[in-house]
Amino acid sequence: MTRIDESTEMPFLDHLEELRWRLIRAIGALLVCVLVAFWAVGHFHIISILSRPAGQRLMFTHPADAITAYMTISLGVGLVVASPVILYQAWGFVSPALKAGERRVARYVFAGGTLLFLMGVTLAYFFVLPATLRMGAQLAPEFEQRLTVHE
Protein backbone atom coordinates (compact mmCIF):
# COMPACT_ATOMS: atom_id res chain seq x y z
CA MET A 1 0.00 0.00 0.00
CA THR A 2 1.48 3.35 -1.00
CA ARG A 3 1.25 6.26 1.37
CA ILE A 4 0.27 9.62 -0.11
CA ASP A 5 1.83 12.77 1.35
CA GLU A 6 -0.39 14.22 4.10
CA SER A 7 -0.33 17.69 2.52
CA THR A 8 -2.16 16.46 -0.59
CA GLU A 9 -5.74 15.26 -0.75
CA MET A 10 -6.44 11.60 -1.40
CA PRO A 11 -9.00 10.50 -3.97
CA PHE A 12 -12.20 8.96 -2.59
CA LEU A 13 -11.29 5.39 -3.55
CA ASP A 14 -7.91 5.74 -1.82
CA HIS A 15 -9.76 6.80 1.34
CA LEU A 16 -11.90 3.68 1.11
CA GLU A 17 -8.81 1.50 0.60
CA GLU A 18 -7.12 3.11 3.61
CA LEU A 19 -10.26 2.57 5.71
CA ARG A 20 -10.51 -1.05 4.59
CA TRP A 21 -6.94 -1.87 5.64
CA ARG A 22 -7.32 -0.09 8.96
CA LEU A 23 -10.54 -2.01 9.68
CA ILE A 24 -8.85 -5.30 8.74
CA ARG A 25 -5.96 -4.55 11.13
CA ALA A 26 -8.32 -3.53 13.96
CA ILE A 27 -10.58 -6.56 13.54
CA GLY A 28 -7.53 -8.84 13.24
CA ALA A 29 -6.13 -7.46 16.49
CA LEU A 30 -9.51 -7.93 18.17
CA LEU A 31 -9.74 -11.53 16.95
CA VAL A 32 -6.23 -12.39 18.16
CA CYS A 33 -6.83 -10.71 21.53
CA VAL A 34 -10.16 -12.50 22.03
CA LEU A 35 -8.51 -15.86 21.29
CA VAL A 36 -5.67 -15.12 23.72
CA ALA A 37 -8.21 -13.91 26.30
CA PHE A 38 -10.22 -17.14 25.85
CA TRP A 39 -7.09 -19.07 26.81
CA ALA A 40 -6.21 -16.63 29.62
CA VAL A 41 -9.69 -16.71 31.19
CA GLY A 42 -9.29 -20.43 31.85
CA HIS A 43 -5.57 -20.44 32.61
CA PHE A 44 -5.53 -17.52 35.07
CA HIS A 45 -9.05 -18.08 36.52
CA ILE A 46 -10.21 -14.58 35.57
CA ILE A 47 -13.84 -15.48 36.34
CA SER A 48 -12.92 -16.10 40.00
CA ILE A 49 -11.02 -12.78 40.10
CA LEU A 50 -14.04 -10.93 38.71
CA SER A 51 -16.42 -12.69 41.11
CA ARG A 52 -14.36 -11.78 44.20
CA PRO A 53 -16.56 -8.78 45.08
CA ALA A 54 -19.49 -11.20 45.41
CA GLY A 55 -17.72 -12.87 48.33
CA GLN A 56 -19.00 -16.30 47.30
CA ARG A 57 -18.96 -18.75 44.41
CA LEU A 58 -21.06 -18.03 41.35
CA MET A 59 -24.03 -20.28 40.67
CA PHE A 60 -25.27 -21.05 37.19
CA THR A 61 -28.99 -21.58 36.75
CA HIS A 62 -28.91 -22.70 33.12
CA PRO A 63 -26.65 -25.26 31.42
CA ALA A 64 -25.36 -22.67 28.95
CA ASP A 65 -24.56 -20.02 31.60
CA ALA A 66 -21.01 -21.25 32.19
CA ILE A 67 -19.97 -21.08 28.54
CA THR A 68 -21.86 -17.81 28.05
CA ALA A 69 -19.99 -16.24 30.96
CA TYR A 70 -16.69 -17.63 29.65
CA MET A 71 -17.29 -16.25 26.15
CA THR A 72 -18.57 -12.86 27.36
CA ILE A 73 -15.59 -12.34 29.65
CA SER A 74 -13.21 -13.44 26.88
CA LEU A 75 -14.78 -10.93 24.50
CA GLY A 76 -14.60 -8.15 27.10
CA VAL A 77 -10.98 -8.85 28.03
CA GLY A 78 -10.03 -9.16 24.35
CA LEU A 79 -11.70 -5.85 23.56
CA VAL A 80 -9.90 -4.07 26.39
CA VAL A 81 -6.53 -5.55 25.38
CA ALA A 82 -7.08 -4.78 21.67
CA SER A 83 -8.36 -1.25 22.30
CA PRO A 84 -4.93 0.42 21.90
CA VAL A 85 -4.58 -1.08 18.42
CA ILE A 86 -8.18 -0.21 17.53
CA LEU A 87 -7.75 3.37 18.74
CA TYR A 88 -4.42 3.68 16.94
CA GLN A 89 -6.02 2.56 13.67
CA ALA A 90 -8.89 5.01 14.15
CA TRP A 91 -6.43 7.80 14.95
CA GLY A 92 -4.30 6.94 11.91
CA PHE A 93 -7.34 7.28 9.65
CA VAL A 94 -8.73 10.49 11.16
CA SER A 95 -5.56 12.44 12.09
CA PRO A 96 -4.48 13.46 8.55
CA ALA A 97 -7.75 15.40 8.24
CA LEU A 98 -7.13 17.38 11.44
CA LYS A 99 -5.21 20.61 11.84
CA ALA A 100 -2.25 20.75 14.24
CA GLY A 101 -4.29 22.40 17.03
CA GLU A 102 -7.07 19.87 16.66
CA ARG A 103 -4.57 17.00 16.90
CA ARG A 104 -3.15 18.43 20.11
CA VAL A 105 -6.62 18.76 21.67
CA ALA A 106 -7.55 15.24 20.55
CA ARG A 107 -4.44 13.82 22.27
CA TYR A 108 -5.48 15.46 25.54
CA VAL A 109 -9.01 14.11 25.10
CA PHE A 110 -7.69 10.57 24.52
CA ALA A 111 -5.40 10.78 27.56
CA GLY A 112 -8.18 12.16 29.75
CA GLY A 113 -10.66 9.59 28.44
CA THR A 114 -8.26 6.74 29.21
CA LEU A 115 -7.68 8.03 32.73
CA LEU A 116 -11.42 8.45 33.35
CA PHE A 117 -12.11 4.96 31.95
CA LEU A 118 -9.57 3.38 34.32
CA MET A 119 -11.00 5.34 37.25
CA GLY A 120 -14.52 4.19 36.33
CA VAL A 121 -13.47 0.54 36.12
CA THR A 122 -11.78 0.82 39.52
CA LEU A 123 -14.83 2.50 41.06
CA ALA A 124 -17.17 -0.12 39.60
CA TYR A 125 -15.05 -3.10 40.73
CA PHE A 126 -14.32 -1.96 44.28
CA PHE A 127 -17.49 -0.03 45.21
CA VAL A 128 -20.46 -0.33 42.84
CA LEU A 129 -20.30 -4.07 42.14
CA PRO A 130 -20.01 -5.17 45.81
CA ALA A 131 -22.87 -2.85 46.81
CA THR A 132 -25.03 -4.13 43.95
CA LEU A 133 -24.32 -7.75 44.83
CA ARG A 134 -25.11 -7.14 48.52
CA MET A 135 -28.41 -5.52 47.60
CA GLY A 136 -29.24 -8.37 45.22
CA ALA A 137 -28.48 -10.95 47.91
CA GLN A 138 -30.77 -9.13 50.34
CA LEU A 139 -33.59 -9.00 47.79
CA ALA A 140 -33.22 -12.63 46.67
CA PRO A 141 -35.20 -14.25 49.53
CA GLU A 142 -38.06 -11.80 48.98
CA PHE A 143 -38.24 -12.67 45.28
CA GLU A 144 -38.02 -16.40 46.04
CA GLN A 145 -41.07 -16.13 48.31
CA ARG A 146 -43.06 -14.33 45.59
CA LEU A 147 -42.13 -16.90 42.95
CA THR A 148 -42.89 -19.96 45.07
CA VAL A 149 -46.11 -21.69 44.12
CA HIS A 150 -48.20 -22.52 47.18
CA GLU A 151 -50.33 -25.62 46.90
Side-chain angles (χ1 to χ4, degrees):
M1 179 167 79
T2 59
R3 185 82 175 142
I4 296 177
D5 184 23
E6 290 184 8
S7 63
T8 62
E9 289 188 26
M10 290 174 59
F12 179 70
L13 292 177
D14 287 345
H15 278 292
L16 289 179
E17 184 71 14
E18 176 81 12
L19 178 63
R20 181 176 81 104
W21 280 108
R22 291 201 179 271
L23 285 173
I24 288 172
R25 287 186 204 114
I27 292 170
L30 179 63
L31 181 63
V32 168
C33 289
V34 167
L35 291 174
V36 169
F38 189 78
W39 169 81
V41 165
H43 188 72
F44 296 111
H45 307 289
I46 293 176
I47 291 176
S48 64
I49 293 169
L50 293 174
S51 66
R52 249 185 228 150
Q56 51 192 330
R57 292 187 63 196
L58 295 179
M59 291 178 26
F60 299 113
T61 59
H62 189 272
D65 283 349
I67 191 68
T68 302
Y70 204 87
M71 298 291 279
T72 303
I73 291 171
S74 297
L75 182 63
V77 169
L79 185 61
V80 169
V81 172
S83 64
V85 175
I86 295 168
L87 290 173
Y88 176 77
Q89 293 301 321
W91 176 253
F93 183 73
V94 171
S95 68
L98 300 176
K99 297 176 184 170
E102 294 169 336
R103 286 186 194 146
R104 188 174 49 252
V105 169
R107 286 187 183 119
Y108 287 122
V109 168
F110 277 132
T114 302
L115 180 65
L116 289 173
F117 172 76
L118 293 174
M119 289 171 56
V121 167
T122 304
L123 177 75
Y125 184 79
F126 288 110
F127 298 106
V128 176
L129 186 60
T132 304
L133 293 172
R134 276 193 305 274
M135 185 180 78
Q138 290 173 351
L139 293 176
E142 182 180 322
F143 286 121
E144 285 178 14
Q145 288 175 350
R146 288 184 192 171
L147 295 175
T148 304
V149 177
H150 298 286
E151 295 181 20

